[in-house]
Amino acid sequence: MNTIIPHSKHPRIVVIGGGFGGIEFCKKLKNKNYQIVLIDKHNYHTFQPLLYQVATGGLEAESIAFPLRKIFKGQDNLIFRVAKVNKVDTQNNLLHTTIGEIAYDYLVIATGSTSNFFGQENIERNSMPMKSIPEALNLRSIILQNLESALIAPTIEEKNELLNFVVVGGGPTGVETAGALGELKKHVLPNDYPELDLNSVNIFLVEGSDKLLSTMSANSSKKSKEFLEEMGVNVMLNTRVENYDGKTLFLIDQQPIHSATVIWSAGVKGVILDGFSSDSITRGNRLIVDGTSKVKGYSNVYAIGDVAAMILDDYPNGHPGVAQVAIQQGKNLAKLFATHTLNSSTIFKYNDKGSMATVGRNRAVVDLNKIRFQGIFAWFTWMFVHLMTLAGFRNKLVVFVNWVWSYISYDRGTRLIIRSYDKKTRNVNTH
Amino acid sequence: MNTIIPHSKHPRIVVIGGGFGGIEFCKKLKNKNYQIVLIDKHNYHTFQPLLYQVATGGLEAESIAFPLRKIFKGQDNLIFRVAKVNKVDTQNNLLHTTIGEIAYDYLVIATGSTSNFFGQENIERNSMPMKSIPEALNLRSIILQNLESALIAPTIEEKNELLNFVVVGGGPTGVETAGALGELKKHVLPNDYPELDLNSVNIFLVEGSDKLLSTMSANSSKKSKEFLEEMGVNVMLNTRVENYDGKTLFLIDQQPIHSATVIWSAGVKGVILDGFSSDSITRGNRLIVDGTSKVKGYSNVYAIGDVAAMILDDYPNGHPGVAQVAIQQGKNLAKLFATHTLNSSTIFKYNDKGSMATVGRNRAVVDLNKIRFQGIFAWFTWMFVHLMTLAGFRNKLVVFVNWVWSYISYDRGTRLIIRSYDKKTRNVNTH
């Protein structure tokens, strides 16, 4: 029946998603007696922490993407397929995918998360998300297209609309994106657009709560705001978004902002496939899993990373949606498979190594277990950790070259509208 | 009237196209008493000689594209606009563009060339061109998508169709592309697709005449064929294409080839805007120009590079469509403007520095004025010359890193389906 996957005498684990969790899980089962089938809609792994640099013209997309086939080179028990899963039939242990049906003995959901617009369709239709490489490239095109359009805008209103950039959400992605836009304004625009009055270019960071980086230390929250303001970003705390029509961002109890570019980083939700019982789904559209990553209500289905909500005493809302959680959960689950201890009562223990965010040149915040620091040393730490965790030597080198180059030249080399994006039709120009 | 371009007291030269010729022309008029308006549909200059490496997963698109605004940083007399010109109104010295009307005192056409399908609509619809970065990225996606699809093809016929790659046209682009596909087959596919029988992957290079690289020396023609055959490419000389329906490539007096991927590099034609008299157009859809680059029948319109046919005694068909001609014509014309000698009888003199083509690792052919050589030294020469002529230090570095990396690892790092391409709808996936 399943001619699209070769037969194997070993039990088959199908893993959906080649993110941090999925690849860690697969790698750790090398040479084990399982047939592992990895499915992803892309043929590459995305290093999500640097998406914002692709979107703001600092890095080429190819430097933060890594071919999945290359990661598993020589891993004989792994089959990779590019496909999108339409539906899970948990009764018959079967996936319905864009390339046909795929049966499984065990299923590991590692589909990650996507932008959460909290049901606000207007905002979803008109703002720019940044959770995948194509989305980051669309955003890059839109930012640059708007700058070009501003030069020839027929009215001052339209011009201002094109030159106001709003980032919604003060988490790490929002802070980093706003910071990168600040650098673009300060170092690139004066050279590239001498015709533009820089005072009319405004960058806003809108956050609903009373602080940025709310999962980090109070000092990091405070410092990141200071850094952003030094870089000319208007940080608006305690500000909630009401609606966005593509031209005007309406705020609750505040003046609206006229802007053609609203970047949405205000929340994520799990990517859950059709076919799961609503009993197994909790807040943030995540699958409820036990301490071994097993999904509630199913005997052979597991979930790891952003899509999983592992409610434990010390994590009553599940773990944070970061790469380290996905990696550690993937490793842990692989170990349970490898040692045939899936039914043990061992509970996953998250080793929180800390968190960090960069705001701009020489400006970052780092919270480790015991130490917290901000500024230039934090910035170098941030760069070092990101370089080291990036997959592949070639990618490390290309990113390193770009960063050194940007540091010396104050430049962002990839400010290219490679395929122009039409927000209305959501199409990309292919010529 | 023209609010989209600021007023200037100097005469306005509008240049259409930021290719090799266009940018050379503009740069040479820095600080001269002209207002120069450069129009391009992209915001970057494309280094066309390396497009085939982007298409075959050897380089990131961003490394061969360079922001036009950056090239002209600090050139106060230049205005750049991203726009497409719909029509030229030579009577009123006016361009109709996607951003509005633009008046000119002088017009310089540097629009370059595009694929020539010689009126064969079926071939145009079903084959892949490679004359721009988006087209090269579409081709990259299609090559990789076809490999993925081959793994799950329901019949052996469909599988073979997906694994037969045909390049039509034995000029430098065709030779280089076929060679790069040969390397992909030899060094990358065995690791990436252990499920595939490599013997079923076939690369064809189809050429109508009796030799490859017909503009180069006899020795280079012969050697390039040998190199390609060593690399497993089926070189078919004296073979003419009749039709292509997307599945079968029909050849005149020969067996057809079943292939889902036909790459078209069999000819180019000039990109001429609407509005020119047919009297000024000649073979290859080029504008007839005199020895000063002035277009026949017009007093203030000039054409340089691929779109120009400068018929001289030693070049009865015009000059070859290479970067050097465009650069030298751009420089020459700029000099005539700068010295106010547009009406002089000085005739452009092309300084032919030679030509070269690379076939693969350690294999290239170089014809200089006096010396001709092939093999590893030619290959290093080719790389050196291309690196040096690439715009921008960052791009040089990134390309260099990629090449050194590929040389050491036998790898091609950017084999990524960044935005999957649908040949039928001609759409790109934006998520």
Side-chain angles (χ1 to χ4, degrees):
Chain A
M1 164 186 167
N2 277 300
T3 52
I4 54 171
I5 309 286
H7 180 74
S8 158
K9 63 183 180 191
H10 299 300
R12 177 184 294 172
I13 310 172
V14 175
V15 182
I16 309 177
F20 289 109
I23 58 177
E24 186 70 20
F25 176 82
C26 294
K27 271 158 77 176
K28 285 286 178 294
L29 286 175
K30 187 172 179 173
N31 299 327
K32 303 296 175 197
N33 289 332
Y34 292 100
Q35 182 191 42
I36 301 161
V37 177
L38 174 63
I39 301 176
D40 197 290
K41 61 181 172 174
H42 293 131
N43 79 332
Y44 54 85
H45 165 71
T46 302
F47 191 75
Q48 292 198 353
L50 292 178
L51 275 175
Y52 80 97
Q53 295 210 359
V54 171
T56 52
L59 287 176
E60 37 275 86
E62 285 90 337
S63 66
I64 67 156
F66 197 80
L68 283 165
R69 293 197 173 277
K70 187 163 170 176
I71 292 175
F72 299 107
K73 175 180 154 181
Q75 183 164 343
D76 298 335
N77 70 342
L78 186 132
I79 301 286
F80 171 66
R81 291 289 179 267
V82 175
K84 211 168 160 329
V85 179
N86 297 320
K87 198 173 175 341
V88 184
D89 175 357
T90 52
Q91 296 251 302
N92 299 301
N93 293 342
L94 201 63
L95 298 178
H96 298 272
T97 82
T98 46
I99 59 170
E101 292 181 352
I102 298 175
Y104 62 83
D105 297 307
Y106 300 94
L107 182 62
V108 176
I109 314 281
T111 43
S113 58
T114 186
S115 298
N116 194 349
F117 296 93
F118 305 100
Q120 299 231 52
E121 283 175 27
N122 274 339
I123 297 178
E124 180 165 3
R125 190 165 35 243
N126 297 308
S127 70
M128 302 296 293
M130 198 180 52
K131 285 289 288 176
S132 70
I133 285 181
E135 286 174 357
L137 289 172
N138 293 343
L139 179 53
R140 182 204 287 178
S141 293
I142 283 286
I143 293 169
L144 295 167
Q145 286 165 223
N146 287 352
L147 290 170
E148 295 295 334
S149 298
L151 295 175
I152 52 166
T155 66
I156 189 80
E157 287 74 22
E158 283 179 62
K159 186 170 182 160
N160 289 339
E161 211 173 278
L162 291 161
L163 296 178
N164 283 341
F165 297 89
V166 185
V167 180
V168 181
T173 305
V175 166
E176 294 180 328
T177 307
L181 289 173
E183 298 220 308
L184 207 61
K185 174 182 169 180
K186 198 167 163 188
H187 301 305
V188 176
L189 300 201
N191 290 323
D192 272 14
Y193 298 92
E195 297 175 63
L196 277 185
D197 172 14
L198 277 194
N199 292 321
S200 57
V201 179
N202 293 298
I203 297 149
F204 300 89
L205 177 58
V206 171
E207 161 62 32
S209 79
D210 61 354
K211 60 181 173 192
L212 300 177
L213 302 178
S214 59
T215 58
M216 292 186 70
S217 65
N219 214 8
S220 290
S221 293
K222 199 172 132 264
K223 207 73 193 172
S224 60
K225 182 164 178 282
E226 276 175 37
F227 284 156
L228 283 170
E229 285 169 344
E230 279 168 30
M231 294 165 65
V233 175
N234 304 296
V235 180
M236 301 169 73
L237 299 178
N238 299 308
T239 305
R240 303 188 78 88
V241 169
E242 195 174 15
N243 206 343
Y244 178 53
D245 61 8
K247 286 160 166 276
T248 305
L249 181 70
F250 297 96
L251 304 170
I252 294 173
D253 297 332
Q254 292 204 49
Q255 289 293 315
I257 304 172
H258 300 286
S259 170
T261 320
V262 169
I263 301 163
W264 192 256
S265 59
V268 295
K269 60 180 179 185
V271 177
I272 299 190
L273 306 162
D274 274 2
F276 281 102
S277 149
S278 62
D279 291 349
S280 57
I281 300 173
T282 186
R283 215 165 62 97
N285 204 42
R286 291 173 302 164
L287 291 165
I288 302 166
V289 300
D290 67 15
T292 67
S293 293
K294 189 156 74 183
V295 177
K296 182 184 170 189
Y298 302 92
S299 62
N300 59 345
V301 181
Y302 298 81
I304 55 176
D306 283 12
V307 74
M310 190 186 282
I311 317 288
L312 301 175
D313 288 347
D314 38 351
Y315 290 97
N317 296 316
H319 298 86
V322 297
Q324 271 303 320
V325 169
I327 292 169
Q328 292 178 31
Q329 286 183 343
K331 197 179 204 166
N332 187 65
L333 183 59
K335 199 172 144 203
L336 298 180
F337 271 99
T339 55
H340 302 280
T341 50
L342 283 166
N343 295 318
S344 74
S345 54
T346 343
I347 282 176
F348 169 73
K349 182 105 194 63
Y350 174 46
N351 171 16
D352 187 351
K353 297 181 177 173
S355 51
M356 48 181 79
T358 197
V359 185
R361 194 180 184 78
N362 299 339
R363 292 179 179 95
V365 294
V366 172
D367 288 0
L368 299 183
N369 249 339
K370 299 262 160 70
I371 23 170
R372 280 147 196 201
F373 49 104
Q374 297 90 26
I376 185 165
F377 183 61
W379 190 64
F380 279 105
T381 306
W382 181 92
M383 286 200 293
F384 179 76
V385 168
H386 281 77
L387 262 187
M388 287 304 107
T389 46
L390 197 60
F393 188 67
R394 193 201 72 94
N395 287 9
K396 284 188 177 68
L397 257 180
V398 171
V399 170
F400 182 71
V401 162
N402 273 289
W403 285 352
V404 170
W405 173 247
S406 293
Y407 193 69
I408 298 169
S409 67
Y410 287 83
D411 197 15
R412 299 179 85 82
T414 62
R415 48 187 188 279
L416 310 159
I417 309 172
I418 291 284
R419 307 208 227 198
S420 57
Y421 182 68
D422 185 331
K423 245 177 92 174
K424 285 207 189 78
T425 63
R426 300 194 172 208
N427 276 332
V428 158
N429 192 338
T430 56
H431 290 288
Chain B
M1 164 187 169
N2 277 298
T3 52
I4 55 172
I5 311 284
H7 180 73
S8 158
K9 62 181 179 191
H10 299 300
R12 179 185 292 171
I13 309 173
V14 175
V15 182
I16 310 177
F20 288 109
I23 57 177
E24 187 70 20
F25 175 82
C26 295
K27 272 158 75 176
K28 285 288 177 291
L29 287 175
K30 187 171 178 174
N31 298 328
K32 303 296 175 197
N33 289 334
Y34 291 99
Q35 182 190 42
I36 300 162
V37 178
L38 174 64
I39 302 177
D40 197 290
K41 60 181 173 176
H42 293 130
N43 79 333
Y44 53 85
H45 165 71
T46 302
F47 191 75
Q48 292 198 356
L50 292 178
L51 275 174
Y52 80 96
Q53 295 209 0
V54 171
T56 53
L59 287 177
E60 37 277 86
E62 283 90 338
S63 65
I64 66 157
F66 197 79
L68 282 166
R69 291 196 174 279
K70 188 166 167 174
I71 292 176
F72 300 106
K73 175 179 153 182
Q75 182 163 345
D76 299 334
N77 70 341
L78 186 132
I79 301 286
F80 172 67
R81 290 292 179 263
V82 176
K84 213 168 158 331
V85 179
N86 297 322
K87 197 174 174 344
V88 184
D89 175 356
T90 51
Q91 296 251 302
N92 299 301
N93 293 342
L94 202 64
L95 297 177
H96 298 272
T97 82
T98 47
I99 59 172
E101 291 180 354
I102 298 175
Y104 62 84
D105 296 307
Y106 299 94
L107 182 62
V108 176
I109 314 280
T111 43
S113 58
T114 185
S115 298
N116 193 349
F117 296 94
F118 305 100
Q120 300 231 51
E121 284 175 26
N122 274 339
I123 297 178
E124 181 165 2
R125 190 165 34 242
N126 296 308
S127 70
M128 303 295 292
M130 197 179 54
K131 285 288 290 176
S132 71
I133 285 181
E135 286 176 357
L137 289 171
N138 293 344
L139 179 53
R140 183 204 286 177
S141 292
I142 283 286
I143 293 169
L144 295 166
Q145 285 166 223
N146 287 352
L147 290 170
E148 294 295 333
S149 299
L151 295 174
I152 53 166
T155 66
I156 189 82
E157 285 76 22
E158 284 178 61
K159 185 169 184 163
N160 289 339
E161 211 173 278
L162 290 161
L163 296 178
N164 284 341
F165 297 89
V166 185
V167 180
V168 181
T173 306
V175 166
E176 295 181 328
T177 308
L181 290 172
E183 298 218 308
L184 207 61
K185 173 182 170 180
K186 198 167 164 188
H187 301 305
V188 176
L189 300 200
N191 290 322
D192 271 13
Y193 299 93
E195 297 176 62
L196 277 186
D197 174 12
L198 277 195
N199 292 321
S200 57
V201 179
N202 294 298
I203 297 148
F204 300 89
L205 177 58
V206 172
E207 162 61 32
S209 78
D210 61 354
K211 60 181 175 191
L212 301 177
L213 303 178
S214 58
T215 59
M216 292 186 70
S217 65
N219 214 9
S220 288
S221 292
K222 198 174 135 259
K223 206 72 193 173
S224 61
K225 181 164 179 280
E226 276 176 39
F227 284 155
L228 283 169
E229 285 169 345
E230 279 168 30
M231 294 165 67
V233 175
N234 304 295
V235 180
M236 301 170 72
L237 299 178
N238 300 307
T239 305
R240 302 188 78 87
V241 169
E242 193 172 17
N243 207 342
Y244 178 53
D245 61 6
K247 288 161 166 271
T248 305
L249 181 70
F250 296 95
L251 304 170
I252 293 174
D253 296 332
Q254 293 204 47
Q255 288 293 315
I257 304 172
H258 300 287
S259 169
T261 320
V262 169
I263 301 162
W264 192 256
S265 61
V268 295
K269 60 179 180 188
V271 177
I272 299 191
L273 306 162
D274 274 2
F276 280 102
S277 149
S278 62
D279 291 348
S280 57
I281 301 173
T282 185
R283 216 166 62 94
N285 205 42
R286 291 173 301 165
L287 290 165
I288 302 167
V289 300
D290 66 16
T292 66
S293 291
K294 188 157 72 183
V295 177
K296 183 184 169 187
Y298 301 93
S299 62
N300 59 345
V301 182
Y302 298 81
I304 55 175
D306 284 12
V307 74
M310 189 187 284
I311 318 288
L312 300 176
D313 287 346
D314 39 349
Y315 290 99
N317 296 316
H319 298 86
V322 297
Q324 270 303 321
V325 169
I327 291 170
Q328 293 178 29
Q329 287 182 344
K331 199 179 203 163
N332 187 64
L333 183 59
K335 201 173 141 204
L336 299 181
F337 270 99
T339 55
H340 302 282
T341 51
L342 283 165
N343 294 318
S344 74
S345 54
T346 343
I347 281 176
F348 169 71
K349 182 103 195 68
Y350 174 44
N351 172 15
D352 187 352
K353 298 181 177 171
S355 51
M356 48 181 79
T358 196
V359 185
R361 194 184 183 76
N362 298 340
R363 292 180 180 94
V365 294
V366 172
D367 289 359
L368 299 183
N369 250 339
K370 298 262 161 73
I371 23 169
R372 283 149 191 197
F373 50 103
Q374 297 90 28
I376 185 164
F377 182 61
W379 189 65
F380 278 105
T381 305
W382 181 93
M383 286 200 294
F384 179 76
V385 168
H386 281 77
L387 262 187
M388 286 305 106
T389 46
L390 198 61
F393 188 68
R394 194 202 72 96
N395 286 11
K396 284 188 177 66
L397 258 178
V398 171
V399 170
F400 182 71
V401 162
N402 273 289
W403 285 353
V404 170
W405 173 248
S406 294
Y407 194 71
I408 297 168
S409 68
Y410 288 82
D411 198 14
R412 299 179 84 80
T414 61
R415 49 187 188 279
L416 311 158
I417 309 172
I418 291 284
R419 308 209 225 194
S420 57
Y421 182 69
D422 185 328
K423 244 178 90 174
K424 284 207 189 76
T425 63
R426 301 193 170 207
N427 276 332
V428 157
N429 193 338
T430 55
H431 291 287

